Amino acid sequence: MTENQTWVTEFILLGFPLSPKLQMLLFGLFSLFYAFTLLGNSIILGLIWLDSRLHTPMYFFLSHLAVVDIAYASNNVPKMLANLLSKQKTISFVPCIMQTFLYMAFAHTECLILVMMSYDRHVAICHPLHYSVIMSWRVCTVQAVTSWACGSLLALVHVVLILRLPFCGPHEVNHFFCEILSVLKVACADTRLNQVVIFAASVFILVGPLCLVLVSYSRILLAIVRIQSGEGRRKAFSTCSSHLCVVGLFFGSAIVMYMAPKSRHPEEQQKVLSLFYSLFNPMLNPLIYSLRNAEVKGALRRVLWKERSV
């Protein structure tokens, strides 16, 4: 940077350009969604902790997914809610970059956790006799730690590349949080390297895992068709269909956001897409797993019955 340029110390998050009444309505609606997100995922975590029947690899990964969803929503939504009520929609430079890092880290981690969950279901249905050996607790722990570590390291790469850029104005980020593409638009330097790395990371963290998930579920589907027991077939299909719903919602919105041609998605549409996987996905995940999973519903009944007995 040259000496006559000044660093931007804070950004203005433009958010949604709506009337005050509509912003108040959105504040109430999004607050309700956020509360449901925290409550639903906390219930999932509580059930897995309290019910010994859910102490299996599948629910071990589901607990990590719930933690990611709580953290993911909590990173973006509170600031958005505060800005809906405030006329001064500013965020300092360091918190903004930190928000970008956490948002990317949690998103990458969720992608990898979903892959681990699909692999777990693949082993459980296609190799049931070797399941306890292949999916030992040591293996599950290594997979979970690897997911968190890879997600965080990849996010760190993005942040390091952002920090090499000068931000000398304008300082208006056309988004409701410090989303990486919107932050790059206010940099006063060439961001082509950042764009290339984002695209390459999207291929690695979105397309690659999605292909692995689809391959796993193709083999699972073939295995389910060969199951003789009707009850076993229903149970396997119920568990896997709930996971596929979550995979479709998350990967679909993320691929459209980061890999589709940007000219087809104006900035306001990108905000809606970001809102979908920042707030709606974390809220829907526990609903999908609780409504479509007999084991989770059974665990909830047992916990409630135990509380009534006490």
Side-chain angles (χ1 to χ4, degrees):
M1 290 186 60
T2 58
E3 290 184 3
N4 64 344
Q5 288 178 315
T6 56
W7 284 96
V8 169
T9 57
E10 64 180 21
F11 296 110
I12 296 174
L13 297 173
L14 297 181
F16 299 98
L18 302 170
S19 66
K21 287 185 178 180
L22 276 175
Q23 290 197 6
M24 284 297 296
L25 178 63
L26 286 181
F27 174 82
L29 194 62
F30 292 161
S31 296
L32 193 61
F33 289 163
Y34 182 52
F36 281 145
T37 298
L38 297 181
L39 180 63
N41 285 288
S42 297
I43 288 174
I44 292 289
L45 284 172
L47 290 176
I48 293 171
W49 177 267
L50 293 171
D51 196 311
S52 59
R53 299 187 192 183
L54 300 184
H55 294 175
T56 63
M58 174 185 168
Y59 293 102
F60 171 76
F61 290 119
L62 181 56
S63 67
H64 281 268
L65 184 65
V67 170
V68 171
D69 283 339
I70 290 174
Y72 195 46
S74 298
N75 180 56
N76 302 338
V77 178
K79 183 62 178 176
M80 178 186 69
L81 294 176
N83 286 345
L84 285 172
L85 295 180
S86 174
K87 291 183 179 179
Q88 189 176 11
K89 307 176 190 295
T90 59
I91 183 170
S92 299
F93 182 81
V94 173
C96 180
I97 296 301
M98 194 65 190
Q99 190 180 55
T100 302
F101 168 75
L102 292 174
Y103 146 76
M104 298 298 291
F106 295 140
H108 295 154
T109 302
E110 180 155 351
C111 288
L112 297 174
I113 290 291
L114 289 172
V115 173
M116 301 307 173
M117 293 176 72
S118 69
Y119 177 70
D120 170 73
R121 290 300 83 203
H122 171 261
V123 175
I125 294 172
C126 299
H127 306 284
L129 298 179
H130 302 97
Y131 179 72
S132 59
V133 176
I134 298 174
M135 297 302 295
S136 65
W137 283 112
R138 181 181 178 183
V139 170
C140 292
T141 303
V142 169
Q143 289 177 338
V145 170
T146 301
S147 298
W148 283 95
C150 288
S152 300
L153 286 173
L154 193 53
L156 187 61
V157 171
H158 290 301
V159 168
V160 169
L161 290 176
I162 289 175
L163 290 175
R164 58 179 269 279
L165 298 171
F167 291 90
C168 48
H171 59 294
E172 293 182 342
V173 176
N174 191 12
H175 217 288
F176 59 86
F177 72 103
C178 290
E179 193 272 332
I180 186 168
L181 295 178
S182 298
V183 171
L184 289 177
K185 288 178 182 177
V186 301
C188 49
D190 188 1
T191 61
R192 278 180 293 184
L193 176 60
N194 299 74
Q195 299 286 352
V196 169
V197 171
I198 289 171
F199 186 81
S202 298
V203 173
F204 172 73
I205 209 74
L206 289 175
V207 178
L210 182 59
C211 290
L212 291 175
V213 170
L214 293 177
V215 168
S216 293
Y217 277 96
S218 298
R219 299 187 66 180
I220 286 171
L221 185 61
L222 293 174
I224 289 176
V225 171
R226 291 197 294 266
I227 294 176
Q228 300 296 324
S229 166
E231 180 64 28
R233 195 158 43 231
R234 279 192 299 273
K235 183 179 177 181
F237 184 77
S238 174
T239 302
C240 295
S241 60
S242 61
H243 183 221
L244 275 176
C245 287
V246 172
V247 167
L249 287 170
F250 184 83
F251 281 93
S253 56
I255 287 174
V256 169
M257 180 70 186
Y258 289 102
M259 301 197 72
K262 295 297 177 287
S263 59
R264 298 183 184 177
H265 304 286
E267 290 181 333
E268 297 307 314
Q269 289 185 21
Q270 290 184 33
K271 292 179 193 178
V272 174
L273 283 170
S274 296
L275 190 64
F276 189 83
Y277 62 77
S278 295
L279 182 58
F280 297 153
N281 267 2
M283 180 185 69
L284 291 173
N285 285 355
L287 287 174
I288 292 170
Y289 279 107
S290 60
L291 293 176
R292 296 188 61 85
N293 194 308
E295 290 180 336
V296 173
K297 288 187 282 188
L300 181 60
R301 282 194 296 267
R302 287 191 294 274
V303 169
L304 292 175
W305 180 257
K306 190 182 297 183
E307 289 295 324
R308 288 179 184 177
S309 300
V310 172

